[in-house]
């Protein structure tokens, strides 16, 4: 069993990539909806939740863990690895490296939660992979909550997206990194705001490739999916068709 978790619905974007990369694997997805969002919490709070959820998935027999949350990865992936040295742990980090390699203007942007935007891990990635590139880090408070509430058609969200994206484009940014797994579900709105002026960078497929490399015998299961949530599990199931992931329902055990 491969365990995948996030504060809520955002990690479903990574789960979809994982299922595509490992179609026969068995997955257990945990949404920590009793404590969503993580993006406005302290590192200590996030670490407590990551260790609790990761420990629960390990106790359920998961032999590979995927932290499908940028905020949780930045704040707690090292602590989770230390707590479970015998279990491979795959984290999700913003695609700074590919964005820096691909940019033609020499300017990139990272859209992130408030916690990720100020995290030492993000700024370490920038130092290591974006030397000579101008990086704009844009905190986007409330975006993950709109996804959690499935308010993707809220005019206020579209207005805020335009308000945050337009100055980045005006500054010459040509690669925009999605620094939160929830933001994958905002891609249609983001592309509408961006047009052809920049390209979005999403790392879900790269995370799935890494999980496949580490999966070993876990790649050969029954193709089943178990969904869990720490609160309101019915919302997790109901969200699948709303997020164009209805096809995953056929896998649910």
């Amino acid at each position: 069993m491969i365990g995948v978790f996030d504060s809520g619905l955002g990690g479903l974007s990574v789960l979809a990539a994982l299922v595509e990369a490992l179609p026969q694997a068995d997955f257990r997805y945990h949404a920590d909806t009793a404590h969503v969002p993580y993006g406005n919490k302290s590192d200590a709070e996030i670490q407590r939740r990551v260790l609790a959820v990761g420990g629960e998935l390990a106790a359920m027999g998961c032999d590979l863990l995927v932290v499908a949350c940028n905020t949780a990865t930045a704040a707690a992936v090292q602590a989770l690895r230390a707590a479970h040295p015998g279990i491979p742990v795959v984290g999700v980090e913003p695609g700074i490296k590919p964005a820096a390699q691909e940019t033609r203007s020499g300017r990139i942007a990272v859209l992130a939660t408030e916690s990720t935007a100020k995290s030492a891990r993000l700024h370490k990635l920038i130092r290591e992979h974006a030397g000579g590139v101008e990086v704009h880090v844009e905190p986007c408070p409330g975006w993950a909550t709109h996804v959690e509430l499935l308010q993707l058609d809220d005019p206020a969200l579209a207005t805020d997206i335009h308000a945050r994206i337009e100055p980045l484009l005006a500054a010459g940014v040509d690669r925009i990194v999605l620094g939160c797994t929830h933001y994958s579900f905002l891609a249609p709105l983001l592309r509408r705001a961006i047009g052809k002026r920049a390209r979005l960078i999403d790392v879900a497929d790269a995370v799935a490739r890494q999980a496949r490399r580490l999966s070993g015998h876990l790649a050969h299961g029954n193709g089943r999916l178990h969904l869990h949530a720490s609160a309101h599990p019915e919302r997790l199931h109901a969200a699948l068709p709303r997020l164009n992931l209805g096809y995953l329902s056929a896998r649910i055990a």
Side-chain angles (χ1 to χ4, degrees), residues 2-253:
I2 298 173
V4 185
F5 68 95
D6 178 38
S7 60
L9 303 180
L12 291 172
S13 61
V14 176
L15 176 66
L18 288 164
V19 168
E20 184 174 349
L22 293 159
Q24 295 181 323
D26 295 315
F27 292 95
R28 187 177 295 276
Y29 183 87
H30 185 101
D32 194 18
T33 41
H35 302 89
V36 70
Y38 283 175
N40 59 4
K41 292 179 170 55
S42 69
D43 284 357
E45 290 177 279
I46 296 165
Q47 189 171 119
R48 280 195 294 271
R49 291 311 307 157
V50 167
L51 291 175
V53 175
E56 184 178 335
L57 289 171
M60 289 180 176
C62 293
D63 295 312
L64 172 63
L65 298 177
V66 179
V67 185
C69 173
N70 290 271
T71 297
T73 298
V77 73
Q78 299 292 19
L80 183 62
R81 286 176 175 143
H84 302 280
I87 299 178
V89 176
V90 179
V92 178
E93 294 184 320
I96 303 295
K97 186 175 181 179
Q101 290 174 337
E102 293 177 14
T103 180
R104 296 180 179 179
S105 69
R107 298 179 180 89
I108 67 174
V110 184
L111 307 177
T113 65
E114 294 158 285
S115 177
T116 297
K118 64 185 180 183
S119 71
R121 195 172 182 92
L122 173 62
H123 292 280
K124 182 173 182 286
L125 283 175
I126 292 171
R127 288 194 304 272
E128 291 178 348
H129 300 300
V133 173
E134 188 176 322
V135 183
H136 300 255
V137 178
E138 181 68 27
C140 304
W143 286 17
T145 300
H146 274 88
V147 174
E148 285 298 315
L149 298 175
L150 299 175
Q151 296 175 340
L152 305 183
D153 298 324
D154 186 345
L157 173 60
T159 298
D160 191 45
I161 284 175
H162 277 274
R164 294 184 184 279
I165 293 297
E166 196 55 44
L168 298 175
L169 297 174
V173 163
D174 68 351
R175 295 295 184 273
I176 298 179
V177 178
L178 300 183
C180 172
T181 54
H182 283 79
Y183 300 170
S184 296
F185 296 115
L186 300 179
L189 287 172
L190 288 163
R191 290 194 181 100
R192 201 174 305 158
I194 292 166
K196 296 181 179 180
R197 293 178 288 175
R199 179 171 174 249
L200 293 179
I201 304 292
D202 191 338
V203 298
D205 290 339
V207 172
R209 288 194 297 272
Q210 175 67 357
R212 185 172 59 195
R213 282 193 289 269
L214 297 172
S215 62
H217 71 281
L218 299 176
H220 309 288
N222 299 308
R224 305 300 288 166
L225 170 62
H226 302 263
L227 292 181
H228 299 268
S230 55
H232 308 296
E234 72 283 354
R235 295 182 187 173
L236 180 58
H237 289 261
L240 293 179
R242 294 285 304 278
L243 297 174
N244 295 318
L245 299 175
Y247 63 91
L248 293 177
S249 298
R251 294 175 170 266
I252 295 176

